[in-house]
Amino acid sequence: MSSNGVGLGHLARQLAVSQRMGPHWRPLFLTMSYAAALASQGGYPTLFIPHHHALGTEPDNWNPQLELELELLIRHAPPAALVYDATAVYGGLIETMARHRDIFAVWMRRPMWREIHRKFLALSHRFDAVIEPGELADELDAGPTKQYQHEVHRVPPVLMLAPEGRLEREQARTELALPGDAIVVAMQLGSGTNFDMRPVREAAIAALLRHPDVVVLDLRSPVRSTGGHEIASQPQHRIIDLFPAFRHSRAFDAAVCAPGYNTFHENILGGIPTLFVPNEADEMDQQLSRARWSEQRGMALLLRRDDHLTGAEPSIERLLDSVERQRMTARCNEIVWTNGADAIVRFIEEHAIGTPRKTV
């Protein structure tokens, strides 16, 4: 089960775990994400429930409906485990878990929270376990979950696809119909639903297209807002749907991205020279801290959205510098990493069957 999310983080982490579970498990998805089709396309039974914001209703009216939907789903397909990936914890979920204490309930809770979400930590004890997917930038995490790390099961950063599982450069470029001699820059600045990236996006594209040997591959978010700004300005600028984009990322020479959990860890662990533009909306995680961490270590560049007028062009020039790109890739490749998704699967398989239920 996952919440709606502005990006794909919650759903992508659950797909990463589901793909690694053994044949005796049958993952079933209940999600509020508008990218729910990605789970269905992956072969998983999927139920989509709109978040109360999307319905324009109050939580007090929405939570009983969520509780009813959960109850019907549990009766239809009684689960051995409920793995919940979200920041907010909803009353309808809490009430359902209280009635079904035989279900092993896990809160898969990524860190880098903002202070406004602290209230949800009081509900941690309602779960049998809390798993924290790791953060490369953990040392800059100043959020409210930091003080509780000793109480949770921490695992390394979670990726759907390991860097070595990507397509080779030539095959990836062939599948994307990209010229072999072009400098390809992937652009992935999020859905735009809560933080307007259009000014910095347009400034970055303009700076990139001043170079005739550059192709901008503009990757549309599966949960994007619609709008007329999604128009390719010239043949060097291509707008495509591609998920998971990381599979083809060896085709990219560089990237301009928002450092959400998935994209940040994919680009750093994949050694992709990246200009990070954080989504700094109040309800988001600490994307600025992630970007600062990578910039301080020479692994990436940072441009804040509101600095686009003076910062976009020099940042793009640095990104296109071959020596800079080689340096960033080399620093990224120094990281030693194992996939936290494997650790999460082991934890669930070891604890979900026959675990004594705690009193709620």
Side-chain angles (χ1 to χ4, degrees):
M1 179 175 175
S2 61
S3 60
N4 55 328
V6 171
L8 294 171
H10 303 302
L11 190 62
R13 276 188 297 275
Q14 293 194 319
L15 285 168
V17 171
S18 298
Q19 291 168 359
R20 289 164 173 78
M21 300 194 84
H24 53 288
W25 289 93
R26 183 172 180 260
L28 186 153
F29 280 71
L30 182 151
T31 183
M32 301 165 206
S33 172
Y34 283 105
L38 298 177
S40 180
Q41 291 164 7
Y44 302 110
T46 304
L47 175 64
F48 170 72
I49 295 181
H51 187 269
H52 60 81
H53 284 161
L55 295 172
T57 189
E58 293 298 320
D60 288 347
N61 296 327
W62 176 81
N63 269 295
Q65 185 63 36
L66 174 64
E67 187 178 346
L68 175 61
E69 294 281 3
L70 280 167
E71 187 66 37
L72 292 173
L73 184 59
I74 289 170
R75 292 180 185 179
H76 174 71
L82 186 153
V83 183
Y84 181 66
D85 194 308
T87 300
V89 180
Y90 306 108
L93 171 62
I94 293 297
E95 293 300 321
T96 303
M97 289 194 304
R99 286 195 305 275
H100 295 276
R101 297 176 189 173
D102 56 321
I103 300 173
F104 183 66
V106 179
W107 189 4
M108 196 155 70
R109 186 181 76 197
R110 62 113 179 89
M112 289 284 189
W113 281 23
R114 297 289 187 95
E115 189 61 31
I116 61 172
H117 296 126
R118 178 181 290 273
K119 60 184 178 182
F120 296 114
L121 291 175
L123 296 169
S124 298
H125 71 284
R126 307 299 290 266
F127 295 84
D128 295 293
V130 178
I131 296 177
E132 182 177 293
E135 283 274 359
L136 291 175
D138 174 70
E139 64 193 273
L140 294 188
D141 183 1
T145 63
K146 187 73 170 182
Q147 67 190 92
Y148 298 102
Q149 284 185 334
H150 66 285
E151 299 178 2
V152 305
H153 182 67
R154 300 178 68 199
V155 302
V158 172
L159 293 186
M160 282 182 58
L161 179 68
E164 61 271 17
R166 296 175 291 172
L167 298 177
E168 293 300 326
R169 180 180 177 87
E170 184 176 351
Q171 182 181 357
R173 288 211 169 190
T174 298
E175 290 193 6
L176 296 175
L178 293 169
D181 58 348
I183 298 174
V184 176
V185 180
M187 180 163 291
Q188 196 169 19
L189 290 178
S191 63
T193 56
N194 71 337
F195 195 70
D196 189 1
M197 288 282 199
R198 283 178 292 180
V200 69
R201 176 180 179 270
E202 292 166 2
I205 290 173
L208 287 165
L209 294 181
R210 292 190 187 100
H211 299 263
D213 55 344
V214 168
V215 171
V216 178
L217 202 63
D218 207 341
L219 308 178
R220 288 185 290 207
S221 168
V223 292
R224 67 188 180 274
S225 58
T226 58
H229 62 277
E230 288 192 357
I231 299 174
S233 54
Q234 54 180 279
Q236 288 171 254
H237 179 203
R238 304 182 186 178
I239 302 176
I240 66 169
D241 296 301
L242 185 67
F243 181 86
F246 191 52
R247 182 172 181 266
H248 290 81
S249 63
R250 283 186 169 137
F252 312 153
D253 295 290
V256 180
C257 296
Y261 184 94
N262 291 333
T263 302
F264 177 79
H265 289 96
E266 287 174 346
N267 286 24
I268 295 296
L269 295 171
I272 304 168
T274 303
L275 171 62
F276 285 121
V277 184
N279 180 329
E280 299 183 56
D282 290 341
E283 69 269 26
M284 297 299 291
D285 53 357
Q286 298 174 43
Q287 293 193 10
L288 179 58
S289 295
R290 289 196 191 104
R292 280 177 170 159
W293 181 89
S294 60
E295 183 186 47
Q296 290 168 2
R297 282 150 188 78
M299 297 176 182
L301 304 175
L302 164 63
L303 173 65
R304 300 181 74 170
R305 180 196 65 176
D306 294 342
D307 295 335
H308 67 280
L309 291 177
T310 58
E313 188 157 357
S315 295
I316 292 298
E317 292 305 311
R318 286 188 64 191
L319 186 66
L320 295 179
D321 183 281
S322 61
V323 175
E324 285 272 13
R325 295 203 306 273
Q326 290 170 10
R327 177 182 60 82
M328 285 188 275
T329 297
R331 293 301 304 273
C332 290
N333 289 342
E334 293 173 0
I335 297 175
V336 177
W337 168 80
T338 57
N339 200 334
D342 297 311
I344 293 172
V345 169
R346 288 195 299 270
F347 184 89
I348 294 171
E349 293 187 337
E350 290 170 3
H351 292 82
I353 306 298
T355 302
R357 304 268 58 82
K358 65 171 67 173
T359 302
V360 178

